Amino acid sequence: MKMRKITLTFLGLCLTVLAFGQANNNEKLIELGKMYKDFMFSNEPTKEVFREIKANVPENLKIATDFIVQTITTKNKLLTQQFLSRPNDQILKQIYIIRAINYNLRDENQIDNNYLIDSLKTKDISDYELVDCYYGILFTAIGNKNKPFDFSKVDFKLKDYNFKDETEKGIFFLRCMSFCGTQIWGYMNVAKPINTQKALEFIKKYPKFNGQPYYQYNDFYFPYFEMIIVKDNGIQSYKRYYLDKYFETLLYHLLCLNKENGTEEEKNSLLLGSILKERNLYKYTKYKDTLEDIFEERKQE
């Protein structure tokens, strides 16, 4: 009877410690979500804010905390191996939850953050959605905090980042190039007339991948999958959304070369060394007819 009492007391103590740990974790996740919301753009945290965010961090949240600190830091270290490398699934889930808290805090019809956290902890979320979330946050933070844009000396070695498969590598690439594409979008769509000179200056600052110019990356024959890409837009095809953006960036690059007296060698390298020639991928872009016309004209030259 005495042994049973001791066992029950010990069990009760364990449950109390576990409950306290979960509450402490939730509290820190909410704090991280709020800090990310408040300082993800141009707002600069004070030293006191940084001290607060780095204080009382549960052991299992240290990596996620370090990542969020970098996303709100000007001239951050997100382009280093430490942060470019894929975190483990548990950390990816934590960062996904932090982003969800950030979304919730921006909603006039908020739900309780503890309820949100508990529901997401048990929700089955695909690895691809978690990886997309991580690198979406990473490249957004680089764009917001590391100015001016210049990836000209960056060479992303995808084999070094702990990716599980070609799909995860593709997600990294497409997220990166979606960010790079935003750097020239205004010059090609808002400026009147379009400013191809300025756009080409930015394109020359695009990164390399595996030692090659960005446009030579062509490993996009990974399996089709869908997920929520734009909040409140429902389920979408990942390839259709991001490959369409990437085709657009490649076509802008070609237009810039044509307008700014690019050499025939530069144009041929882009046309024949990129997915612009990959007809099997045209189904993922609204530029299918444009691409077919380009290559038909080249046949007739």
Side-chain angles (χ1 to χ4, degrees), residues 11-13 25 51 89 135 156 170 185 189 191 203 235 241 243 248 263 281:
L11 179 60
L13 178 62
N25 270 9
R51 281 197 296 270
D89 293 350
Y135 290 106
F156 293 115
W185 192 90
N189 292 274
I203 290 170
I235 300 292
Y241 185 86
L243 277 179
E248 182 175 75
T263 66
L281 296 176

Side-chain angles (χ1 to χ4, degrees), residues 168-257:
E168 292 190 353
K169 291 178 184 177
I171 290 170
F172 177 95
F173 178 90
L174 290 170
R175 270 298 196 169
C176 176
M177 290 312 304
S178 176
F179 160 64
C180 290
T182 63
Q183 305 304 308
I184 64 169
W185 192 90
Y187 297 118
M188 305 302 291
N189 292 274
V190 179
K192 301 296 180 185
I194 62 174
N195 193 338
T196 51
Q197 179 183 0
K198 195 69 175 176
L200 191 57
E201 289 177 11
F202 274 85
I203 290 170
K204 289 178 179 178
K205 296 176 182 177
Y206 282 1
K208 288 184 172 132
F209 289 83
N210 304 323
Q212 301 296 324
Y214 84 92
Y215 57 81
Q216 290 187 12
Y217 185 88
N218 60 8
D219 294 332
F220 300 114
Y221 290 97
F222 50 78
Y224 176 95
F225 65 95
E226 297 178 334
M227 56 178 275
I228 294 176
I229 298 171
V230 180
K231 188 175 178 287
D232 300 327
N233 277 16
I235 300 292
Q236 294 175 273
S237 161
Y238 198 86
K239 283 189 176 184
R240 187 172 300 280
Y241 185 86
Y242 281 109
L243 277 179
D244 182 60
K245 286 181 176 291
Y246 181 51
F247 269 115
E248 182 175 75
T249 297
L250 291 169
L251 287 170
Y252 287 161
H253 190 169
L254 181 63
L255 178 57
C256 289
L257 291 176

